[in-house]
């Protein structure tokens, strides 16, 4: 007592120390509860990661929606069964780049004046290959030699009446040589053209080979599918009468599918071209050999099909058609001569396409799973219609979706932590919280029990204050 009288206690300092200890204790409690809540959330998240989730099934008694649902299902299933599996054969493993070889040969004879022409003279190249051309019209100019002669009358600005109409030294791009500056008669005709220096005489027009329509082309094709180890040819193996059969047959899709001998007239007809027009200007025609083989059947059922189409442009008339020139040179009395031949003909480009398929379990499984997954689009479409266009969409929405209250509770403590870390001021307790709690009843009557929001912080005046997690779980 005497010591107390000598050194009286500082009640203000004692009260401040108690307040500091209480505040420090409150912070420790809050931090520990936040840490425990965060650990519990992480634990629940990783444990729940292995949970199985299944959609909620709701039966809607609506005939219109049911008709739409079954109709979309029918369309999806029909598409996969008919188009994907039957038409495109999605259950097969396929190969689209086979190895192939092509050999061609042409036969026939024709008369041009007093000359008989055979394959050596009208076929280029003579050894055959995937490209072969035949001459249908030949413009032959014999005994050409270097000199001066009249320009061809079809060349633009070649016609003249006097020497001043011809400029000396001029070379026409569409002409045949260099002009000398003289205007001379056109051979045995009454009109005149400019004189040029070139190989003379100038080539002239010649008639077509009438017999060329019956020329035949032999196309031998072999194809190999290395993935399936299948080798096929467009000639049916026949050891007895094979050569005899090929000597007398012509291709027919129904009667002779294994006879690869085609008449030029038949090729022009299938390409929808006039043979007389091809003889006049020439042309390029594609011969397409298509192999589409279903190797689930016997390999003998793998037969080629043929199609024909003109490949060069016909709309641009000045450059349409197909022609080329070549010459035969010889010497006579020490002077060089040549025979110039301008050839118009048909060039055949043989193009081979191959596609083979055979059943495989891997594409079957992949496409089956894709089909089953695609059926799920029916539910998505019908859910959208149900929640958007049907009158009772609000009722359906309430039954279909549930509120995730537990998710809000798990993240509530993060809101508390946010308020504390940003040093939000301590507002008064909201009116919806009870003002007369048991803790306030136990406080001294002369003091006011003040609780901080959002957490109830224990204090000397409110010793029984509960924590935020007590309120949350309560």
């Amino acid at each position: 007592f005497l010591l107390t009288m000598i050194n009286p206690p500082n009640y203000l300092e004692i009260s401040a120390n108690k307040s500091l200890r209480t505040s420090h204790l409150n912070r420790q409690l809050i931090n520990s509860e936040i840490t425990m809540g965060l650990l519990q959330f992480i634990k629940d998240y990783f444990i729940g990661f292995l949970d199985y989730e299944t959609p909620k099934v709701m039966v809607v008694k609506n005939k219109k929606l049911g008709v739409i649902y079954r109709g979309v299902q029918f369309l999806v299933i029909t598409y996969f069964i008919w188009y994907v599996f039957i038409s495109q054969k999605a259950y097969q493993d396929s190969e689209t780049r086979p190895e192939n070889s092509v050999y061609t040969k042409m036969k026939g004879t024709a008369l041009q004046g007093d000359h008989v022409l055979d394959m050596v003279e009208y076929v280029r190249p003579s050894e055959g290959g995937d490209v072969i051309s035949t001459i249908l019209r030949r413009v032959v100019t014999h005994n050409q030699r270097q000199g001066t002669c009249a320009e061809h009358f079809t060349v633009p600005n070649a016609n003249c009446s006097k020497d001043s109409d011809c400029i000396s030294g001029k070379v026409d791009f569409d002409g045949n040589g260099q002009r000398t500056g003289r205007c001379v008669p056109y051979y045995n005709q009454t009109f005149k053209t400019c004189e040029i220096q070139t190989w003379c005489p100038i080539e002239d027009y010649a008639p077509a080979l009438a017999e060329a329509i019956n020329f035949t082309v032999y196309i031998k094709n072999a194809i190999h599918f290395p993935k399936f180890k299948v080798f096929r040819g467009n000639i049916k193996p026949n050891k007895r009468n094979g050569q005899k059969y090929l000597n007398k047959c012509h291709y027919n899709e129904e009667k002779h599918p294994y006879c690869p001998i085609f008449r030029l007239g038949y090729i022009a007809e299938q390409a929808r071209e006039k043979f007389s027009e091809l003889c006049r200007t020439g042309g390029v025609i594609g011969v397409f050999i298509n192999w589409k083989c279903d190797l689930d059947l016997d390999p003998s059922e793998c037969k080629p099909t043929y199609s024909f189409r003109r490949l060069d442009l016909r709309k641009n008339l000045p450059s349409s058609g197909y022609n080329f020139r070549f010459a035969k040179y010889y010497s006579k009395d020490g002077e060089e001569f040549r025979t110039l031949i301008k050839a118009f003909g048909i060039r055949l480009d043989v193009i081979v396409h191959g596609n083979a398929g055979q059943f495989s379990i891997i594409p079957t499984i992949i496409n089956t799973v894709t089909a089953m997954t695609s059926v799920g689009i029916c539910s998505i479409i019908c859910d959208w219609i149900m929640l958007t266009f049907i009158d009772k969409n609000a009722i359906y929405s309430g039954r279909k979706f549930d509120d995730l209250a537990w998710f809000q509770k798990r993240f509530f403590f993060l809101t508390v932590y946010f308020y504390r870390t940003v040093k939000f001021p301590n507002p008064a307790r909201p009116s919806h919280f009870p003002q007369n709690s048991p803790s306030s009843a136990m406080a001294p009557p002369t003091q006011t029990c003040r609780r901080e929001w959002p957490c109830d912080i224990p204090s000397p005046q409110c010793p029984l204050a509960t924590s935020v997690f007590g309120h949350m779980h309560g």
Side-chain angles (χ1 to χ4, degrees), residues 23-39 413 416-417 420-421 455 468-469:
S23 177
H24 181 68
L25 178 62
N26 292 341
R27 291 193 183 93
Q28 287 182 342
L29 290 173
I30 292 171
N31 292 334
S32 64
E33 289 179 351
I34 291 175
T35 304
M36 291 176 61
L38 183 61
L39 293 175
F413 75 93
V416 175
Y417 181 73
R420 287 295 181 183
T421 54
C455 295
V468 62
F469 294 101

Side-chain angles (χ1 to χ4, degrees), residues 65 253 335 358 394 409:
L65 193 61
E253 186 175 359
E335 188 176 2
Q358 192 173 38
K409 291 180 180 180

